[in-house]
Amino acid sequence: MVARYELIADELRGEILSGVHPVGSQLPSESELAARHGAARGTVRQAVAVLAAEGLVGSRQGARRIVLGTARSQSFAELHSFAEWARANGYRYGGQVIAQRRRPPTPAEAARLGSGEVLDVLRLRTLEDEPVLLERTAYAEWIAGAVEKLPPGCGSVTEALYESAGLVFAYGEHLIDAVPASTRDARLLGVRRGSPLLRQRRVTTTHEGRAVECSDDRYRAGSVAFSIRNSIGANPLVRHAGDLRFGA
Amino acid sequence: MVARYELIADELRGEILSGVHPVGSQLPSESELAARHGAARGTVRQAVAVLAAEGLVGSRQGARRIVLGTARSQSFAELHSFAEWARANGYRYGGQVIAQRRRPPTPAEAARLGSGEVLDVLRLRTLEDEPVLLERTAYAEWIAGAVEKLPPGCGSVTEALYESAGLVFAYGEHLIDAVPASTRDARLLGVRRGSPLLRQRRVTTTHEGRAVECSDDRYRAGSVAFSIRNSIGANPLVRHAGDLRFGA
DNA sequence: TAGTGGTCTAGACCACTGT
DNA sequence: CAGTGGTCTAGACCACTAG
């Protein structure tokens, strides 16, 4: 069942991407869109709210909505899963488990995943056959068994866990900063020790709020960048001083 | 005029932060909240939509909403303006113009700011009296005059431009990655050459979609991190390969 | 099956924009 | 001033969850 407002949003998005409403131009008024689609104004407002959340259009009270751009923010899956992002963008990608063991959680991990043992996995991911990402992930005990059953060359852990355990990653919290490569990082990624790495630390939970994993992902400089579009009305990105929330 | 749904959202947020609704617990149903506040259900839905956008609560059709966390995403202003972010978090901060001149735009800047001359400003920002951020900003010609009138030790450029020119930054596009410090970066920030810097490149526009500035901001490693909360439903962050959209 | 959130309607009034 | 988006109401039906 596809909602009415989604259909209207899709049609408007198509018109924006195809140039019917060029960047900088005004969108039709809500009343006009409502009449055209035979829908109530509230439904049209839901549709344009979708486009506003995607950063395509902006609005000010009293004035027509304006087309801001054509670049669309992508899905949660693309942020969470390296494989899904790479495939969606047409890149060749791969992955290999370098080390895997159970161990007691650090205090920071225990606070998020519970006090049971965690499964610590070190994975090296490649893009276009070049090593670009080193993933250090601690899985909560309740999912560790399913992770251990995955093949070491598994391309997409997210998809494999969905298929084998029905696990859906639903919410994420991410901290992004820059760190120098350690000796081991440098060797695995093929860079010099101390050279810049883009670090993404994250905690992911199911939609029930159950924590699944804590991860420390390090990208080789120049291989990947993170992009954000925001507006004065709403944005999800926050700057933090130092190393606050993820512990040592 | 404060909207009704904002008041309801504020009250609910306060109850979440103060522990009335602990993390993992269920929120009251929409009908109950509507009855309690004497408001229509639609108004209550607007209120909880605010909390969902902040990442505080999650929802699934048919089940009660669940409290996901207590960390709140901050405003656009805090992402855009170093000074506003620093002040909101109680840090001592400062800034100093190191160099300022007019020059022709690079091709990438011309595509965004127009083909007129740009005003190129190099600023060093401090946090707790330590140099942490090097800002290289190209202002569009139409705002350059107002920027040149600012004092070189101006703490908040965003606020000063609002007061002197009525300028409101409304939309931003940001690319975040890691780069090694150049010789000049290193000297100004007090780090070794080649050491990691967290880079934020951004383009900011007014709410009419008029581009104001392109900037390349570099943070000393360890001084600042960016934080993002997202959900499977919506998120604004995208990963990019290499150096795509901002040109050379 | 009862309760909940997701969607939708058809109105209404207000604040703001642009002419 | 007319037109527009922002807010709000009081209903309705449906899809889904949970007991």
Side-chain angles (χ1 to χ4, degrees), chain B residues 3-5 38-43 46 60-63:
Chain B
R4 185 88 176 267
Y5 74 87
R41 195 181 146 217
T43 306
Q46 269 187 288
R60 302 140 61 203
Q61 188 176 66

Side-chain angles (χ1 to χ4, degrees), chain A residues 3-5 38-41 43 46 60-63:
Chain A
R4 185 87 176 269
Y5 75 87
R41 194 180 145 216
T43 307
Q46 268 187 290
R60 302 140 63 204
Q61 189 175 65

Side-chain angles (χ1 to χ4, degrees), chain B residues 45-232:
Chain B
R45 280 180 66 79
Q46 269 187 288
V48 294
V50 171
L51 301 185
E54 291 173 354
L56 294 184
V57 305
S59 68
R60 302 140 61 203
Q61 188 176 66
R64 285 274 182 99
R65 287 194 166 76
I66 290 181
V67 178
L68 292 175
T70 56
R72 189 182 162 203
S73 298
Q74 293 303 326
S75 68
F76 171 81
E78 292 197 5
L79 174 59
H80 178 77
S81 165
F82 182 78
E84 289 186 36
W85 165 73
R87 189 178 332 122
N89 287 274
Y91 297 114
R92 249 195 337 276
Y93 64 94
Q96 188 65 41
V97 170
I98 306 286
Q100 176 170 320
R101 67 187 178 99
R102 297 209 182 212
R103 61 165 171 78
T106 67
E109 287 164 355
R112 294 169 174 277
L113 302 178
S115 53
E117 283 200 322
V118 300
L119 178 65
D120 185 330
V121 180
L122 177 64
R123 280 192 200 89
L124 183 65
R125 319 298 294 268
T126 60
L127 204 59
E128 304 291 327
D129 302 321
E130 292 284 324
V132 299
L133 166 59
L134 208 49
E135 274 183 0
R136 289 186 175 86
T137 309
Y139 293 93
E141 193 163 33
W142 64 273
I143 196 68
V147 176
E148 285 172 327
K149 290 194 185 70
L150 301 178
C154 178
S156 174
V157 176
T158 306
E159 287 169 26
L161 285 179
Y162 175 69
E163 282 161 21
S164 69
L167 179 66
V168 176
F169 294 91
Y171 298 100
E173 201 176 326
H174 312 258
L175 259 192
I176 295 173
D177 62 0
V179 294
S182 70
T183 306
R184 191 182 197 193
D185 292 345
R187 194 182 65 239
L188 289 167
L189 288 172
V191 299
R192 278 210 306 278
R193 194 171 75 88
S195 74
L197 301 179
L198 183 64
R199 177 169 68 167
Q200 172 194 10
R201 284 172 293 177
R202 62 166 196 269
V203 179
T204 321
T205 69
T206 66
H207 55 207
E208 293 93 359
R210 194 176 190 191
V212 181
E213 50 155 29
C214 294
S215 193
D216 179 312
D217 298 356
R218 300 179 184 203
Y219 294 87
R220 216 178 55 189
S223 66
V224 157
F226 292 102
S227 164
I228 290 157
R229 301 178 64 90
N230 64 355
S231 75
I232 204 170

Side-chain angles (χ1 to χ4, degrees), chain A residues 66-121:
Chain A
I66 290 180
V67 178
L68 292 174
T70 57
R72 189 179 164 205
S73 297
Q74 293 303 327
S75 69
F76 172 81
E78 292 198 7
L79 173 59
H80 178 77
S81 166
F82 182 78
E84 289 185 37
W85 164 75
R87 188 176 335 118
N89 288 274
Y91 296 115
R92 252 195 335 277
Y93 65 94
Q96 188 63 41
V97 170
I98 305 287
Q100 177 170 319
R101 67 188 178 98
R102 296 207 182 215
R103 61 166 172 78
T106 67
E109 287 165 354
R112 294 168 174 279
L113 302 177
S115 52
E117 281 199 325
V118 300
L119 177 65
D120 186 330
V121 180

